[in-house]
Amino acid sequence: MKQLTTLNQLISKYLMILIIGFSCIAYIVPSYFSWAIAYTPFLLGIAMFGMGLTIKFEDLCSILRHPKDICIGVLAQYTIMPLLAWGICQIFTLPPDLAIGVILVGCCPGGTASNVITYIAKGDVPLSVGMTITSTLIAPIVTPLLILYLGGTWVNVALLPMIITMVKVIIVPILLGAIIQYVCKSRINTLTSVSPIVSMIAIILLIAAIIAINRDKLLISGLETLLVVGIHNILGMLLGLGVGYILKLRYDKTTALAIEVGMQNSGLAVTLAATNFALNPLATLVGAIFSVWHNISGAIFAMLRRENSLRNI
C-alpha cells in the first residue's frame, strides 16, 4: 500500500513532465501510440471511474454547505470559457476544424487536474473539488447545449449523440465508482490507491495517441493551435481571478475559482471530437495541446499564488 501511495505521489508530481515526454515520443514514433485512439471513450471512462471512486460523502456535504461558492464557480466555468472560445474563434477567423475544437474545450467542465493544482497553490481544495464534481455532473446537458449554440456557426452539431456519449463516458463511470466507494468503503483501499495511477496513465496515453495521429497536422497548425490554446487558458484564469476579486472572495477561494475556470476537462473535449466530429479531425488536436499546456500554465500560476499567499501570512 505504501509503495502504491509513493508511486501515486510521484506520478502526480511529475505528471506535466510525463505528458510532455510521452507526447514527444508519440511525435517521433507515432506507431507506438496511434493504436490507442480507438479506445478514446474507454480511456476517458477509466479516468472518470477513478474520479467516482474519490467522491466521498463529505465532498457532497461540502457542496451542500457552500452552495453559493459552488454556484459562482460553476456559473463562471460555463460562461467565461465558452464565450472566450467563441470570441477567439471569431477574432482569429479559425477554420472549422480548429474552431469546433476550441469550442469543445471551452464548453467542457473543469478537469480533475485543477484539484491538484489548487492544492499546490494553497487554494480552497474542497471548493475546487465541489466545483469539479458539480460542473461534471451537469455537463451531459449543459455542454452539448453550449456546443450546439456556439459551435453551430462552423459545423453541424448533433445534440442527442453528444448527450449519449457524455452519459456513457462521464455519468455511468462516475456513478459506478461512487457506488463502489460507498458500498465497499474501507475494503477497497487498494483499488482507491491504484485508481489515480490508472487514471493518470489513461490520460497520458490519450494525449499521446492524439499527438501520434496528428503528427503531420502539427507541422501545419501546431503553432497556431498552441497560441489559441494559450490565450484561451490564460484569459480564463485571469477572468476567474477577476470574478473572485469583484465578489470579494477569500484569497484561497479566489485561487480555486481561477484555476477551476481556466483548467478544462480537455480529455472530454478530445473524446467528443473523436466520436462526434470525425469529419473535423483537427478538432482533437486542440484538446490534446490544451491538456499539455494547462498543466504547465497551471503549475506556474499555482507557484505564483502560493508564494504570494505565504508572503501575506
Side-chain angles (χ1 to χ4, degrees), residues 40-54 112 136 169-170 173-174 177 195-204 206 265 267-268 271:
T40 297
F42 176 71
L43 291 171
L44 182 63
I46 289 175
M48 292 296 100
F49 176 73
M51 178 182 175
L53 285 174
T54 65
T112 52
T136 300
V169 301
I170 290 183
I174 286 179
S195 64
I197 299 170
V198 176
S199 296
M200 287 185 283
I201 291 173
I203 292 299
I204 291 168
L206 179 59
N265 188 340
L268 174 60
T271 302

Side-chain angles (χ1 to χ4, degrees), residues 232-303:
H232 193 189
N233 168 245
I234 292 171
L235 284 180
M237 285 194 287
L238 291 177
L239 288 174
L241 208 60
V243 169
Y245 283 131
I246 290 169
L247 297 177
K248 297 182 179 178
L249 299 180
R250 281 195 335 242
Y251 188 89
D252 60 338
K253 291 182 183 293
T254 299
T255 298
L257 176 62
I259 293 170
E260 191 67 25
V261 170
M263 296 188 71
Q264 302 292 85
N265 188 340
S266 45
L268 174 60
V270 167
T271 302
L272 288 174
T275 55
N276 297 93
F277 296 94
L279 296 177
N280 307 97
L282 267 180
T284 58
L285 186 61
V286 179
I289 291 179
F290 196 99
S291 295
V292 178
W293 169 260
H294 80 169
N295 280 288
I296 298 171
S297 65
I300 295 169
F301 182 79
M303 286 188 288

Side-chain angles (χ1 to χ4, degrees), residues 62-129:
S62 176
I63 294 173
L64 296 175
R65 282 196 301 267
H66 307 285
K68 180 182 175 183
D69 294 336
I70 298 292
C71 287
I72 289 170
V74 173
L75 184 61
Q77 174 83 52
Y78 281 123
T79 53
I80 290 173
M81 291 303 276
L83 291 176
L84 274 177
W86 183 85
I88 287 169
C89 292
Q90 295 286 354
I91 291 169
F92 285 87
T93 58
L94 296 178
D97 279 22
L98 288 181
I100 194 60
V102 174
I103 295 291
L104 286 171
V105 169
C107 296
C108 280
T112 52
S114 63
N115 308 148
V116 178
I117 296 297
T118 299
Y119 173 77
I120 295 170
K122 283 192 167 296
D124 189 329
V125 176
L127 176 60
S128 176
V129 172

